[in-house]
Structures are given as structure tokens and as C-alpha cells.
């Protein structure tokens, strides 16, 4: 007999247009209620938890959910392209006869309902498909044998579902102090990631004595799509025919959350926005799959005096009007300490002077180093006494240039 089609949306208590986030929240809420650890010895809760896990496995995966929405059930053996064609109403490769409908119906051209359960089409449609192909100019191909071959690819789906699955990558952002980014150092952070469940060794289930109660050890069950029936891999034992129980530690996920302290080495000259890769430190894979990678996104904290662009350091240095006019040697701060810099006579406010190789050591080129860009800011001292005022007035008398002449000329 055909197994009843399972209403995964109803099992999770969500609508058919529910978002991925709504499905995830509904599963977590119900999983906490029916988990075997919360209800020890309660067989009905255990069965409910298994159904919840099965429904969540299908509806939380966009590809699986699409096939389920098209056919009304899901199997790893189903080819997505063929399922979509079948759902459109007989336009799959190989061609359904014109009287057949998709998942929404199953009547032939005479209104007769067809049940294909238990039939072997390899002989019946060997010649029919060839004749139909000739009549249609060869477009029909192998008829039903082709369409069933497209929808159910033997045990490929079951084998794929048992194959190791690579773990996903993780991304973390860390704030790096200005001086640590310049000189290098080590930062410590706690990373929460998926580790392989030690109880089930990352499989999500534990094999139990006996045969699978859903397929009675056959490894296949019969599902209905409209008025057609198909043999598909048993979703409970995944085609093995053996009894399995959902792992009580990981809830069938194969992984558990684990927080691990990590040390991240910051190279001298690390830049803001740089990405550091730590191989194998991402989420663990399932069924023995390799773990993903961990990516650290660097955000360098600002400094109150120094600015940074690439490997260059920028700083604004105040000078007096006299120093700017006559020229001078002044001390300026650098990331290595104080250094002497020459101010040329007639230096203007906003003018930028360069100190070669006083910037940040390059993190990518050995021996290379940026420059320090010094922006001049002329500071006019306040007039505190009469003598200072007289000196400024004397300077005004001998200065005949209009600093705004060029401005008005452009206007």
C-alpha cells in the first residue's frame, strides 16, 4: 500500500508561504517540547520528534522544499528538473502522454484514473515509446522509461545523502587597536561554531537493532503524487533498511554548538578591512566531511593624532606665522617617536610635506614602508600686550599684497 503523504507544513504548524525564519523558529519551539530527553520513555513524543526533524530537514532546504511543494512529497532520488517538469503537467523530458496531468491531477483523456504501483514499464513501453517517437519525429524518445529514469535516478540520491558534507565557513569581525595593527600582536577571541557530535560521530542518528519500521527493511516506500504512485528511498532509514534512532544529543543535526578560544596573529602593518583566513576553523562537516574555514574581518580603531591611508600616516602639525613665513626646523610626532622636519620659508596653511619612509611597514612587501604626510596648520598667536600689537601694525605697513586678490579675480 502507498504510504500517506506527510503534511510537513502541518507538522510544524506553519503556513505554506512561511519564511525560512518562521520554519526554523517553529521547529525549535516544538523540538524543545518533544525532545526525547525532555520526555524519557515516551514513544509518542519520540515519534513526534522524528516527524518534526524530517519536516524541518525538507522545508529548511530551499531545493528540497521546492520539490516537496511540486510533488507533495520528497525523496533524495528525485531529480529537481524532472520534478518541475512533472508539476507543470506532463512536459518532462521523454514526454508524458497528453492525457496525463501533473501533481494536481491524474486522469487520462477518458477521465480514467491510473495507478502505476507495482508495474514494470521496461517491457510495456519499450516499443510504445519508440512508435510514439517516430510518429512525433523522434521527440518522444523512450517514453515512460525516460521520465521515470529522470525522476528516480536509482540509488544516486541515497548515496549522495550519505556522502560526507563539507562544513560551512564562518566570519567574525574584530576591532584591532591602532598600535597593534602597526606593530603586530596576538588577539584572543571566543568563537562559537558547530563541532561534530561525538555521540553519533556526526551522522545525526544511531543505528539500533532490527529493521526499519517504516519500510520493514526494504529500504523503499511507496509515495503518491496525484493518482500516480512511485517507489522512493525510505526517508527514515535512507534506504539502508536498518532501524535508526535520532541522536538525542544533536537532535539529528550531526553537529553541536561549541565555543572555543582562539588566538589570532595580527601581522605588522595590517590594514583596516583586511581579511584573515584560518583554515579548518569554521563549522564542522557532517558524516566525516571536512570543516569549513574561519574568516576574520579586521577593523582598525582610530587614533586621536595619527590618521592612516594604506601604509601612509597622516598628521596635522600646527606652526606659528613666523615659522611659516621665515622657515624653521620643528619637531613632529611619528609612529617611531619624535623627528626633525624642515619648514620651508613661505609655507602656507594646509600645505602638505612628506617624510619619506616614516609610515607603516608593509604587511605584504618585505622591507617596504609607507611615508608620513604632514599637513601644516598656521596658528596666529593672540595679541596680549601693546608691544605685540605695534609689531603686527608695523608688519601690516610693509605688507602690500592683498591675499584675497586672486579670489576675486576668479569670481
Amino acid at each position: 500500500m502507498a504510504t500517506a503523504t506527510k503534511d510537513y507544513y502541518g507538522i510544524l504548524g506553519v503556513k505554506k508561504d512561511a519564511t525560512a525564519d518562521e520554519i526554523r523558529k517553529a521547529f525549535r519551539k516544538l523540538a524543545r517540547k518533544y525532545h526525547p530527553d525532555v520526555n524519557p520513555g515516551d514513544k509518542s513524543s519520540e515519534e513526534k520528534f522524528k516527524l518534526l526533524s524530517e519536516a524541518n530537514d525538507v522545508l529548511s532546504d530551499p531545493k528540497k522544499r521546492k520539490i516537496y511543494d511540486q510533488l507533495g512529497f520528497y525523496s533524495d532520488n528525485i531529480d529537481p528538473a524532472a520534478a518541475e517538469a512533472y508539476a507543470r503537467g506532463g512536459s518532462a523530458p521523454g514526454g508524458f502522454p497528453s492525457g496525463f496531468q501533473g501533481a494536481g491531477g491524474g486522469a487520462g483523456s477518458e477521465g480514467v484514473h491510473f495507478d502505476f504501483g507495482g508495474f514494470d514499464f521496461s517491457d510495456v513501453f519499450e516499443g510504445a515509446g519508440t512508435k510514439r517517437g517516430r510518429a512525433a519525429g523522434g521527440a518522444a524518445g523512450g517514453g515512460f522509461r525516460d521520465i521515470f529514469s529522470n525522476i528516480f535516478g536509482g540509488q544516486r540520491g541515497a548515496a549522495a545523502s550519505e556522502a560526507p558534507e563539507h562544513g560551512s565557513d564562518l566570519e567574525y569581525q574584530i576591532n584591532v587597536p591602532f598600535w597593534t595593527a602597526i606593530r603586530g600582536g596576538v588577539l584572543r577571541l571566543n568563537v562559537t561554531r558547530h563541532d561534530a557530535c561525538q555521540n553519533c560521530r556526526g551522522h545525526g542518528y544511531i543505528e539500533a537493532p532490527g529493521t526499519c519500521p517504516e519500510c520493514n527493511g526494504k529500504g523503499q516506500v511507496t509515495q503518491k503524487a496525484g493518482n500516480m504512485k512511485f517507489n522512493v528511498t525510505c526517508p527514515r532509514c535512507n534506504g539502508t533498511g536498518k532501524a535508526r534512532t535520532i541522536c538525542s544529543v544533536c537532535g539529528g543535526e550531526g553537529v553541536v554548538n561549541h565555543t572555543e578560544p582562539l588566538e589570532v596573529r595580527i601581522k605588522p602593518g595590517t590594514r583596516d578591512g583586511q581579511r584573515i583566513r584560518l583554515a579548518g576553523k569554521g563549522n564542522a562537516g557532517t558524516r566525516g566531511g571536512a570543516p569549513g574555514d574561519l574568516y576574520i574581518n579586521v577593523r582598525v580603531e582610530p587614533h586621536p593624532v595619527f590618521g592612516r591611508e594604506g601604509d601612509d600616516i597622516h598628521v596635522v602639525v600646527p606652526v606659528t606665522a613666523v615659522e611659516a613665513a621665515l622657515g624653521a626646523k620643528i619637531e613632529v610626532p611619528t609612529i617611531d617617536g619624535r623627528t626633525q622636519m624642515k619648514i620651508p620659508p613661505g609655507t602656507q596653511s594646509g600645505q602638505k610635506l612628506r617624510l619619506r619612509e616614516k609610515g607603516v611597514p608593509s604587511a605584504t612587501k618585505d622591507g617596504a614602508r609607507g611615508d608620513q604626510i604632514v599637513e601644516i596648520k598656521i596658528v596666529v598667536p593672540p595679541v596680549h600686550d601693546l608691544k605685540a600689537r605695534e609689531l603686527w601694525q608695523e608688519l601690516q605697513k610693509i605688507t602690500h599684497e592683498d591675499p584675497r586678490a586672486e579670489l576675486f579675480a576668479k569670481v
Side-chain angles (χ1 to χ4, degrees):
M1 293 182 63
T3 59
T5 301
K6 297 175 182 176
D7 180 8
Y8 289 150
Y9 293 104
I11 290 172
L12 293 177
V14 297
K15 297 180 180 179
K16 288 189 175 182
D17 59 353
T19 64
D21 188 55
E22 290 173 338
I23 290 173
R24 177 178 59 81
K25 290 180 179 178
F27 170 71
R28 288 185 175 181
K29 180 180 179 181
L30 293 171
R32 284 194 294 267
K33 179 179 179 181
Y34 292 101
H35 197 282
D37 288 350
V38 180
N39 306 276
D42 188 343
K43 291 294 182 182
S44 62
S45 293
E46 183 179 349
E47 291 300 319
K48 179 68 174 178
F49 183 76
K50 291 176 182 177
L51 281 175
L52 290 169
S53 299
E54 182 181 327
N56 179 66
D57 178 64
V58 173
L59 297 186
S60 63
D61 187 314
K63 293 181 180 178
K64 292 181 181 180
R65 182 179 181 181
K66 184 176 181 181
I67 293 175
Y68 175 78
D69 289 341
Q70 290 168 336
L71 298 180
F73 68 94
Y74 174 77
S75 169
D76 289 327
N77 293 341
I78 298 175
D79 179 70
E84 185 171 350
Y86 173 71
R88 288 200 301 266
S91 58
F96 276 118
S98 60
F100 290 95
Q101 299 178 11
S109 58
E110 302 294 330
V112 180
H113 293 273
F114 294 86
D115 181 4
F116 297 101
F119 282 84
D120 181 2
F121 292 92
S122 59
D123 296 327
V124 178
F125 292 100
E126 178 74 22
T130 305
K131 293 177 183 178
R132 186 164 59 250
R134 291 172 182 168
F144 275 79
R145 185 181 61 180
D146 289 346
I147 184 61
F148 290 146
S149 175
N150 281 326
I151 295 181
F152 303 104
Q155 295 301 316
R156 289 177 301 171
S161 64
E162 288 292 316
E165 185 175 342
H166 195 280
S168 58
D169 295 334
L170 285 177
E171 286 201 23
Y172 270 73
Q173 178 176 307
I174 58 173
N175 294 324
V176 179
F178 179 84
W179 291 112
T180 302
I182 298 291
R183 299 165 180 165
V186 175
L187 294 182
R188 294 169 178 82
L189 70 156
N190 292 324
V191 175
T192 300
R193 63 191 189 96
H194 292 161
D195 260 356
C197 177
Q198 298 300 313
N199 189 51
C200 64
R201 298 182 180 180
H203 290 278
Y205 62 85
I206 298 174
E207 291 193 354
T211 59
C212 173
E214 187 159 339
C215 66
N216 295 320
K218 296 179 180 178
Q220 289 188 332
V221 294
T222 303
Q223 291 279 13
K224 296 179 67 177
N227 292 287
M228 300 179 69
K229 295 192 293 184
F230 305 99
N231 288 331
V232 298
T233 299
C234 176
R236 182 162 183 168
C237 68
N238 213 21
T240 65
K242 298 179 181 179
R244 291 178 172 180
T245 58
I246 299 294
C247 176
S248 59
V249 176
C250 65
E253 296 294 328
V255 292
V256 292
N257 284 337
H258 174 68
T259 300
E260 178 184 0
L262 286 179
E263 290 188 347
V264 181
R265 179 175 173 268
I266 305 298
K267 294 176 63 177
T270 295
R271 299 184 181 185
D272 183 66
Q274 192 167 329
R275 211 167 180 233
I276 301 172
R277 174 175 173 262
L278 299 178
K281 293 298 183 180
N283 284 326
T286 55
R287 297 180 293 276
D293 298 331
L294 172 63
Y295 290 91
I296 304 294
N297 296 318
V298 175
R299 290 291 175 265
V300 178
E301 296 175 352
H303 190 273
V305 173
F306 298 114
R308 182 177 172 186
E309 291 184 10
D311 291 335
D312 290 337
I313 291 292
H314 290 252
V315 63
V316 176
V317 175
V319 298
T320 67
V322 175
E323 290 173 330
L326 302 180
K329 273 191 176 183
I330 63 171
E331 276 192 337
V332 296
T334 72
I335 59 174
D336 298 321
R338 299 187 179 195
T339 191
Q340 293 282 324
M341 186 181 72
K342 183 180 179 181
I343 304 295
T347 296
Q348 303 296 313
S349 188
Q351 188 172 336
K352 293 180 180 179
L353 306 176
R354 185 181 296 269
L355 292 174
R356 298 287 181 184
E357 296 188 348
K358 289 295 184 180
V360 182
S362 175
T364 57
K365 297 180 181 179
D366 290 339
R369 188 167 183 174
D371 300 331
Q372 176 162 311
I373 311 300
V374 179
E375 181 178 341
I376 300 300
K377 179 182 179 182
I378 297 177
V379 178
V380 179
V383 179
H384 293 297
D385 52 38
L386 181 60
K387 184 172 179 62
R389 182 177 183 84
E390 289 174 349
L391 288 174
W392 279 111
Q393 289 174 340
E394 192 67 28
L395 180 62
Q396 184 180 30
K397 291 177 182 179
I398 63 174
T399 303
H400 303 291
E401 295 179 359
D402 183 359
R404 293 170 293 279
E406 187 178 352
L407 173 66
F408 285 105
K410 292 179 179 179
V411 172

